[in-house]
Amino acid sequence: MQRDALDQGLIVSCQPVPDGPMDRAEMVVGFALAAMQSGASALRIESAAYVRAVRAATDAPIIGIVKRDLDDSPVRITPFIADVEALADAGADVIAFDATDRARPATIEALIEAAKARGKLTMADCSCLEDARQALAAGVDFVGTTLSGYVGPDEPEDPDLPLIAAMRQLTPYVIAEGRIRNTQQAAAAAEAGAFCVVVGSAITRTEHATSWFREALDSAFAAREKAMRPVLAIDIGGTKSLATIMEDGVPLREIQIPTRRDAGPDQWLADIAESIADWRGSYTAIGIAVTGAVDKGDWSALNTATLDIPGTYPLAEKASGIFAAPVFAMNDAQAAAWGEYRFGGHGAENIVFLTISTGIGGGIVLNGKPLLGIAGHFGLLRGPSAGAAPLEDQVSGRWIAAEASAAGHAMEAPEVFAAARAGAGWAQKIVETSAARTALLCRDIQMMIDPDCIVIGGGIGLAAGYREQVEKNLDDVPARLRPQLVAATLGGKAGAIGVADLARRNGENTETA
């Protein structure tokens, strides 16, 4: 056999679990034939007896090994010259052996010489780059990553891709082997530079593959059980706060509490705690969504006109003491973004959430992960005003009411929208100006982040005709640059739904850290 016979090949290791129900010659032959019929290029077989049985059934290339447990050496794979000779006589084309730098019955050079004497190729099962370097110097034909991770106290979970790449710098004849358990890992081994790839337990050891699936399902079912545990979600807003018991995105109980703006965060939490005193014990974690910035549980204001927070407030610490449960806190618009991503039905992996209400808030989910910190605070952008004021002061509900007052009409934003629908020119101009500025913001967001869609929410954003007015201002934008605007579906509960889900996930991460 020539070395190139294994080029870009899949080698299936047909090694049953010792003394298991598959540990019979007819089972090994069956595995081997099934593998070859399904596209394998070669086989790796343990023991001269099984090599002989497989050779009688197929002319496929065979890498042969013998495994022994020795009292005086840690070397297990083909330790003796007699093993090399037996494998060669049984019909193996390549003889593989342990090439680690450990006490051994026969030297690497002697094993190679014995295999060459019978016209066979050799494969060095290595644990590290130095093993490969020494084996190549001794004249081995292939080096493999077979023993990487198996000579130390702890066995890693994943294949040693860096070792494959490093060996590839020494020789093109690198056989990737060890802990390759799925198609993605096999492909990654090829991309790392492997000449060919060995897969064993994932294909031919039913016991191992079954245990992997069992463990994965146990973990998934446990996570699902945790997801069903109730979470207390609190959304503290500028005029009212929402408290709800949430279970897998579904509110079970809820209550709204007025936010006494001048009372301060201690009193806001106390008011909520008093209102839901009879809920104690019915939740396992707490998620709190608030306007402003949250950094590692500490809360601060970004625009005091929305809600004034004196200095930096230890929100998570205070709330945990009051409600007697772990607390995860975050910005309310970021929480709403996650809620819309997880439960809004938008079918997108990358979204920006834009809430236009009393102010403007936002959140970003990229590659299925929420961006926290101050990411998404689009209402505080000052570019459109040349630095004079935050954008939300020229777009949001407060600005709409102020413009109406300046025009001689003392009314809030909902009344301005009603007047615009009734045909009042002054009201239409205010709404159109707000929509035009929002359109520019959406266009800038698309250029900066390129999300799959921008989800529009909030009392202004969802007001009748507003989103359509925004889209009208985007008609002249080329299709590739134009943002896709969609309406939020969760309404005012998006923040509570999102923070409840993240609070549950945060609890799982803490438990498994």
Side-chain angles (χ1 to χ4, degrees):
M1 188 193 91
Q2 300 297 316
R3 283 191 289 188
D4 288 347
L6 302 184
D7 188 14
Q8 300 183 27
L10 167 63
I11 302 171
V12 176
S13 181
C14 303
Q15 297 183 52
V17 174
D19 300 321
M22 307 291 187
D23 193 7
R24 302 196 305 272
E26 62 269 27
M27 297 302 301
V28 176
V29 171
F31 278 133
L33 294 178
M36 294 306 300
Q37 289 178 8
S38 302
S41 301
L43 305 163
R44 183 168 164 122
I45 307 294
E46 191 277 329
S47 84
Y50 285 167
V51 168
R52 187 175 296 107
V54 173
R55 174 53 71 221
T58 178
D59 60 359
I62 296 176
I63 299 174
I65 66 170
V66 171
K67 288 185 176 178
R68 298 186 183 279
D69 293 313
L70 304 178
D71 294 331
D72 56 352
S73 172
V75 170
R76 295 188 70 234
I77 300 176
T78 320
F80 298 115
I81 291 175
D83 294 329
V84 173
E85 294 171 342
L87 290 168
D89 293 343
D93 300 286
V94 182
I95 311 298
F97 55 84
D98 181 316
T100 60
D101 186 17
R102 298 183 290 180
R104 54 192 315 117
T107 66
I108 292 172
E109 289 79 3
L111 295 172
I112 294 173
E113 182 180 355
K116 298 295 185 185
R118 280 172 162 71
K120 305 299 181 179
L121 298 176
T122 53
M123 174 182 174
D125 289 347
C126 303
S127 67
C128 62
L129 187 61
E130 186 57 30
D131 290 346
R133 185 176 287 111
Q134 292 182 10
L136 289 168
V140 78
D141 297 291
F142 298 99
V143 292
T145 57
T146 315
L147 295 176
S148 170
Y150 292 105
V151 298
D154 299 316
E155 179 185 335
E157 290 289 329
D158 299 316
D160 195 340
L161 301 180
L163 182 57
I164 296 170
M167 285 183 173
R168 183 63 179 78
Q169 298 302 308
L170 302 179
T171 176
Y173 300 108
V174 178
I175 299 180
E177 183 174 9
R179 300 182 300 278
I180 298 174
R181 296 172 177 173
N182 56 52
T183 55
Q184 293 82 4
Q185 291 174 331
E191 292 169 0
F195 186 71
C196 54
V197 177
V198 176
V199 179
S201 295
I203 297 176
T204 61
R205 284 194 167 180
T206 303
E207 298 93 330
H208 291 180
T210 300
S211 70
W212 300 337
F213 280 93
R214 181 68 266 166
E215 290 169 6
L217 286 175
D218 286 345
S219 177
F221 285 130
R224 189 174 73 180
E225 289 299 315
K226 289 181 179 178
M228 298 302 291
R229 296 176 186 174
V231 176
L232 171 61
I234 298 172
D235 190 346
I236 301 177
T239 57
K240 63 181 180 298
S241 296
L242 171 69
T244 179
I245 298 293
M246 198 75 64
E247 189 175 272
D248 198 26
V250 178
L252 302 181
R253 306 172 69 179
E254 65 180 64
I255 188 173
Q256 290 189 356
I257 305 102
T259 302
R260 294 187 281 171
R261 294 176 60 89
D262 297 333
D266 279 343
Q267 190 60 53
W268 302 334
L269 292 176
D271 289 345
I272 296 169
E274 181 180 354
S275 300
I276 62 171
D278 61 334
W279 295 5
R280 187 176 289 265
S282 62
Y283 47 83
T284 59
I286 301 169
I288 302 182
V290 294
T291 183
V294 178
D295 183 20
K296 297 180 180 178
D298 293 336
W299 183 17
S300 59
L302 289 176
N303 188 344
T304 56
T306 303
L307 197 61
D308 191 9
I309 311 300
T312 299
Y313 183 77
L315 176 61
E317 178 185 341
K318 292 273 192 177
S320 181
I322 292 173
F323 296 102
V327 172
F328 176 79
M330 67 185 302
N331 170 264
D332 54 1
Q334 293 172 342
W338 183 255
E340 289 287 343
Y341 166 77
R342 284 275 290 126
F343 302 100
H346 304 295
E349 186 73 2
N350 303 302
I351 73 166
V352 166
F353 175 73
L354 195 60
T355 176
I356 309 167
S357 187
T358 305
I360 294 179
I364 304 169
V365 178
L366 291 182
N367 300 318
K369 295 182 179 180
L371 298 188
L372 303 180
I374 59 173
H377 284 80
F378 302 112
L380 301 184
L381 297 178
R382 290 178 175 260
S385 68
L391 174 63
E392 64 184 4
D393 290 351
Q394 299 181 336
V395 174
S396 66
R398 287 194 309 272
W399 177 83
I400 290 174
E403 288 295 295
S405 179
H409 306 276
M411 56 180 65
E412 296 299 318
E415 299 169 284
V416 176
F417 274 90
R421 290 193 294 272
W426 63 269
Q428 291 174 342
K429 182 178 179 180
I430 293 173
V431 172
E432 289 168 2
T433 300
S434 173
R437 291 170 178 169
T438 297
L440 286 175
L441 173 60
C442 290
R443 184 171 180 174
D444 288 345
I445 289 172
Q446 194 67 34
M447 292 299 297
M448 289 185 287
I449 300 172
D450 196 21
D452 300 323
C453 64
I454 299 178
V455 181
I456 305 294
I460 304 300
L462 294 176
Y466 186 81
R467 181 166 56 89
E468 290 76 11
Q469 187 68 41
V470 173
E471 291 178 328
K472 182 179 178 182
N473 284 276
L474 297 170
D475 284 344
D476 61 343
V477 178
R480 178 61 185 92
L481 307 181
R482 181 173 178 170
Q484 178 184 354
L485 307 185
V486 298
T489 61
L490 302 183
K493 295 184 176 64
I497 292 172
V499 78
D501 188 62
L502 286 174
R504 174 185 61 80
R505 290 165 179 260
N506 185 68
E508 290 175 9
N509 292 339
T510 299
E511 290 175 14
T512 58

